[in-house]
Amino acid sequence: MTTREINGYQLHRVREHVWEIPKTGEMRVPARLLASESLLDQIGDDNTLDQITNATQLPGITTHALCMPDGHQGYGFPVGGVGAIDAENGCLSPGAVGFDINCGVRLLRTNLTYDDLRGREEELVNALFANIPTGIGHGGVVETDVETVTEVLDRGLDWAVEEGYATRDDMRHCEDEGRRPDADSDFVSADAKNRGKNQIGSLGSGNHFLEVQRVSEIFDDDVADAYGLQSDQIVVMIHCGSRGLGHQVCKDYVNRISEEHAGFNADLPDDNLAAAPAGSQVAEAYYGAMGAAINFAWVNRQLLTHQTRQVFERVFDRSWEAMGIELLYDVAHNIAKKEIHAVDGEDRELYVHRKGATRAFPAGREEVPRAYREVGQPVLLPGSMGAGSYVLRGGDSSLSESFGSTAHGAGRIMSRTQAKREYGASDVQADLRDHQHIYIKAEDGETIAEEAPGVYKDIDDVVAVSEALSLADPVARTVPVCNIKG
């Protein structure tokens, strides 16, 4: 089939897994969806097509607005959306980054095997739940003052190393080494800082989680070896972001931009796309504030790493160093960054907005940590708590296809409200425990229902599209053992 009509949109098949909505009306560029036909049907079930088409109207957007295979409806800009916007003549859009700035994923490897853990799953999940702050309003690993929050915002993982929560090796295995050089806490409001002072080292709620996993399959022995992964190994995946601080930063700047640049935004079809002209005072302020919130999120995940190491020490009665609990990688999926990309044969500096999309740089790109530069950047794609997750590496075609981006997970196909109607928390919990030996613990039973495996797209289908387009290549698959949520 070369053409599909979905929700009134004509989608033309460019080639397998690449669909395009042609440029018409106020669109500045075409919209592209990277999806199989079955995933395309799911993407068409909500307002994602409206939102990705609206995104093409952002000033300075280049080539096309992109929707990844896990795409679904968000606020203004779709989750799974990528927009590369000229950094000199374009704009910055907080809504195209999202409210949870630097929501992202990190993976810890260990030298434990599944046999070391078997039979102790319940002990471990209870210990993690007792020691990892979860939910809304339950504090953090560190509850401190605005002065300390300000240091975190400006210094990122440098602060965590100095305070004994991280090692230099942790920094070397984090995107941007865990510190944005353009972060500026002066552009973060007092309200945001106050929201952050009791949330450093906390999971929050919703789809955020800490999950102990078992490596169930290796697809590429050489890259897995470079990443320190092997079959039956125990690893830990952490998914969370900048908590209330990042939400407040986004809210502050959407409001400020809407007021200060009303004329610039007058023709945009959705208020949630409010954009600041590149080079304007408010654009520079947002970029500094966003960088600070990015630092906050990296420290947040690092403190959860520290706490996880402490829990493993108590449960297994040996040091975390002896268990080899090391950071494999940490990567953001709600972010906008200045990057150099080829556009029409010329290198240009762009604000690459990724909202629910993961950077996936191939081998050789200087932004990839030195330890992985010869094989490509690790890409972490969490699935549902019943289906497992993937470790991939940046693919050879990612730069030309998607500005070095791929999916960020499985992607929802069901609203939280509908999920609570369809699933019972105790049923989900019991089914996972009894049939898959997966132990789940959450602050609120509703969260388990909202995050039931049937709420998400098939992670295998999402990864298959990414692999087929060489956005990212599978290295290993992991399956859940224990999972805690807010």
Side-chain angles (χ1 to χ4, degrees):
M1 185 178 295
T2 58
T3 304
R4 293 280 306 274
E5 183 175 346
I6 303 177
N7 298 340
Y9 290 97
Q10 292 292 324
L11 285 85
H12 299 273
R13 185 179 182 272
V14 177
R15 59 186 181 281
E16 188 175 15
H17 303 319
V18 179
W19 300 85
E20 186 164 286
I21 301 173
K23 175 185 171 184
T24 58
E26 302 301 316
M27 296 169 66
R28 297 173 185 267
V29 294
R32 276 201 174 175
L33 296 97
L34 309 181
S36 63
E37 292 212 35
S38 60
L39 287 172
L40 195 63
D41 288 336
Q42 294 174 336
I43 289 169
D45 282 343
D46 56 26
N47 293 328
T48 304
L49 297 182
D50 290 334
Q51 291 187 340
I52 196 64
T53 304
N54 289 344
T56 68
Q57 298 185 42
L58 285 165
I61 192 164
T62 63
T63 311
H64 34 250
L66 287 156
C67 180
M68 299 295 108
D70 60 336
H72 60 91
Q73 179 180 331
Y75 292 98
F77 199 86
V79 178
V82 176
I85 299 176
D86 189 273
E88 183 176 353
N89 300 308
C91 65
L92 259 175
S93 174
V97 172
F99 282 92
D100 195 0
I101 297 168
N102 190 7
C103 187
V105 183
R106 67 168 40 197
L107 190 71
L108 312 175
R109 59 188 174 221
T110 78
N111 59 27
L112 301 175
T113 67
Y114 187 47
D115 281 343
D116 295 319
L117 177 53
R118 196 192 307 266
R120 308 184 71 176
E121 296 94 337
E122 204 155 6
E123 177 188 2
L124 181 58
V125 78
N126 287 335
L128 287 167
F129 190 75
N131 289 278
I132 301 289
T134 59
I136 299 173
H138 288 263
V141 173
V142 173
E143 297 186 26
T144 186
D145 52 27
V146 168
E147 182 178 341
T148 301
V149 171
T150 300
E151 272 202 78
V152 168
L153 294 172
D154 286 328
R155 299 179 59 205
L157 287 192
D158 268 345
W159 174 88
V161 170
E162 189 174 285
E163 295 297 320
Y165 296 112
T167 67
R168 290 292 171 190
D169 198 53
D170 291 332
M171 290 188 69
R172 284 190 287 270
H173 292 85
C174 184
E175 181 178 350
D176 293 339
E177 296 193 344
R179 181 177 184 177
R180 288 297 299 157
D182 32 40
D184 193 334
S185 63
D186 288 344
F187 295 124
V188 177
S189 70
D191 286 345
K193 291 174 183 176
N194 277 311
R195 290 186 69 175
K197 67 183 181 182
N198 295 323
Q199 294 185 332
I200 309 175
S202 61
L203 272 180
S205 60
N207 65 342
H208 296 152
F209 63 81
L210 184 149
E211 187 169 89
V212 180
Q213 304 172 341
R214 172 175 63 89
V215 178
S216 61
E217 193 170 2
I218 299 291
F219 304 106
D220 188 317
D221 290 332
D222 291 339
V223 180
D225 185 61
Y227 289 175
L229 295 174
Q230 56 189 355
S231 185
D232 223 35
Q233 179 181 12
I234 293 297
V235 296
V236 182
M237 182 173 280
I238 300 172
H239 172 219
C240 61
S242 51
R243 304 287 279 111
L245 182 142
H247 189 281
Q248 189 66 48
V249 168
C250 183
K251 180 180 177 182
D252 288 343
Y253 280 92
V254 168
N255 291 340
R256 182 177 165 187
I257 289 167
S258 297
E259 291 175 6
E260 294 186 19
H261 293 283
F264 186 77
N265 287 282
D267 294 330
L268 287 178
D270 191 323
D271 291 343
N272 287 307
L273 290 176
S280 66
Q281 186 178 35
V282 69
E284 296 300 312
Y286 171 69
Y287 199 61
M290 178 184 60
I294 290 168
N295 284 347
F296 184 93
W298 276 325
V299 171
N300 187 37
R301 294 196 285 275
Q302 183 63 46
L303 263 65
L304 294 175
T305 297
H306 170 79
Q307 206 75 345
T308 300
R309 286 168 169 164
Q310 304 302 303
V311 169
F312 269 68
E313 285 187 339
R314 289 194 288 273
V315 170
F316 293 99
D317 194 28
R318 67 190 94 156
S319 72
W320 69 261
E321 292 92 343
M323 290 180 280
I325 305 178
E326 301 171 338
L327 179 59
L328 190 155
Y329 197 55
D330 182 308
V331 64
H333 54 232
N334 280 5
I335 199 166
K337 296 171 74 172
K338 287 182 180 178
E339 296 173 1
I340 303 297
H341 289 273
V343 178
D344 297 329
E346 295 183 5
D347 284 348
R348 288 169 61 182
E349 186 175 57
L350 308 173
Y351 286 121
V352 181
H353 296 66
R354 299 184 179 96
K355 180 179 179 181
T358 304
R359 196 183 74 178
F361 281 174
R365 184 89 178 198
E366 64 177 12
E367 293 95 334
V368 178
R370 190 173 300 278
Y372 308 133
R373 202 166 294 164
E374 290 187 7
V375 296
Q377 178 211 305
V379 178
L380 309 174
L381 261 64
S384 75
M385 58 189 179
S389 302
Y390 278 85
V391 180
L392 307 96
R393 58 99 173 253
D396 292 339
S397 298
S398 68
L399 295 175
S400 59
E401 290 279 4
S402 60
F403 300 99
S405 311
T406 190
H408 84 309
R412 294 187 75 91
I413 55 173
M414 190 182 296
S415 72
R416 297 185 184 281
T417 301
Q418 184 183 352
K420 286 184 285 188
R421 288 198 301 264
E422 299 256 350
Y423 297 100
S426 59
D427 292 337
V428 172
Q429 202 167 17
D431 184 64
L432 289 170
R433 182 189 64 238
D434 297 342
H435 294 99
Q436 294 181 252
H437 306 292
I438 300 168
Y439 291 76
I440 309 295
K441 202 167 181 67
E443 186 72 34
D444 187 338
E446 287 190 349
T447 301
I448 296 176
E450 292 170 359
E451 297 298 312
V455 166
Y456 285 90
K457 297 179 176 72
D458 188 325
I459 187 68
D460 295 339
D461 290 348
V462 171
V463 169
V465 172
S466 187
E467 181 181 16
L469 294 175
S470 195
L471 307 181
D473 305 316
V475 176
R477 182 176 183 139
T478 64
V479 293
V481 178
C482 306
N483 181 297
I484 66 168
K485 292 180 175 292

